[in-house]
Amino acid sequence: MCHVIVTCRSMLWTLLSIVAAFSELIAFMSTDWLVGFPRTPDAVFSPQGATVAGEAYRPTLGIYGRCIRLPHLRRGVLCGPYAVHFGEIASGFWQATSIFLAAAILLLSAVAFISVFTMCFQSIMKKSIFSVCGLLQAIAGLFLILGLMLYPAGWGSDKVQGYCGPDASAYQLGLCSMGWAFYTALGGTVLTFICAVFSAQAEIATSSDKVQEEIEEGKSLICLL
């Protein structure tokens, strides 16, 4: 018989797990990791800065995508991948970042999917689902840390210098600034470790004495604060 067990701590862990997975996925797909120096569609970089020939804008560069403004486009900014193949990503460091982030997102997505069913199934093969998911989240968090640590090492690539100026180098932004996607990925990493720790509390909440008492009373839907 399936016992549906809903507690505040287990539901909070499920919600945070889903938010962590989505935040990392959105950040990875975004082009707003770096915000370039102000320019116009016809601007050329010089030591003094970008030439001013019209309305200035700031292009953005992601791990594999970018947003630029082309003069012949009426719709304005063109966003899309600059790397058609994996080998075309700006640098080897960013390729490594892509691998670590993709692996972490895969693990987090799996945990987010499984977490929805923890209301009905709390163990699998005599192993606590919460413990297994917490371990997977901790591993994903380590992958995210490695990816985010390697990401600034790729700022010296030719692609980044085209957006940030010739002074850009490893761990030196040059004329660029960090975009919201990097901070979203960083926040998602912190949230991932919070979820990994909080999974233990979710397990405790769903296996407490109160839950066992209600199971013994024959209840199939158990809701506890």
Side-chain angles (χ1 to χ4, degrees), residues 2-108:
C2 175
H3 298 281
V4 178
I5 303 174
V6 180
T7 69
C8 287
R9 281 179 284 181
S10 64
M11 290 301 295
L12 180 59
W13 173 76
T14 298
L15 178 61
L16 293 179
S17 297
I18 294 172
V19 171
F22 270 102
S23 64
E24 292 298 340
L25 178 61
I26 292 172
F28 181 67
M29 296 176 63
S30 173
T31 61
D32 287 270
W33 284 73
L34 290 178
V35 181
F37 62 85
R39 69 188 74 184
T40 66
D42 296 321
V44 177
F45 183 82
S46 66
Q48 289 74 33
T51 60
V52 179
E55 183 181 357
Y57 80 104
R58 301 190 71 176
T60 58
L61 179 65
I63 296 175
Y64 64 89
R66 83 287 181 263
C67 282
I68 57 175
R69 181 175 296 174
L70 300 177
H72 62 277
L73 285 181
R74 294 183 179 180
R75 63 180 181 178
V77 177
L78 173 67
C79 295
Y82 69 82
V84 179
H85 305 290
F86 181 76
E88 295 178 355
I89 294 177
S91 73
F93 292 108
W94 283 19
Q95 292 174 4
T97 295
S98 299
I99 293 174
F100 282 121
L101 292 186
I105 291 170
L106 182 62
L107 291 176
L108 291 177

Side-chain angles (χ1 to χ4, degrees), residues 31 35 53 64 75 93 96 116 118 157 167 170 176 182 189 191 200 209:
T31 61
V35 181
Y64 64 89
R75 63 180 181 178
F93 292 108
V116 177
T118 55
S157 66
D167 292 334
C176 281
F182 177 83
T189 302
L191 184 57
D209 292 339

Side-chain angles (χ1 to χ4, degrees), residues 42 45 49 82 117 125 143 160 164 186 191 201:
D42 296 321
F45 183 82
Y82 69 82
F117 298 97
M125 298 178 64
F143 284 162
V160 175
C164 304
L186 189 61
L191 184 57
Q201 291 298 317

Side-chain angles (χ1 to χ4, degrees), residues 155-171:
W155 290 347
S157 66
D158 293 338
K159 188 72 176 180
V160 175
Q161 289 183 349
Y163 284 74
C164 304
D167 292 334
S169 60
Y171 299 95

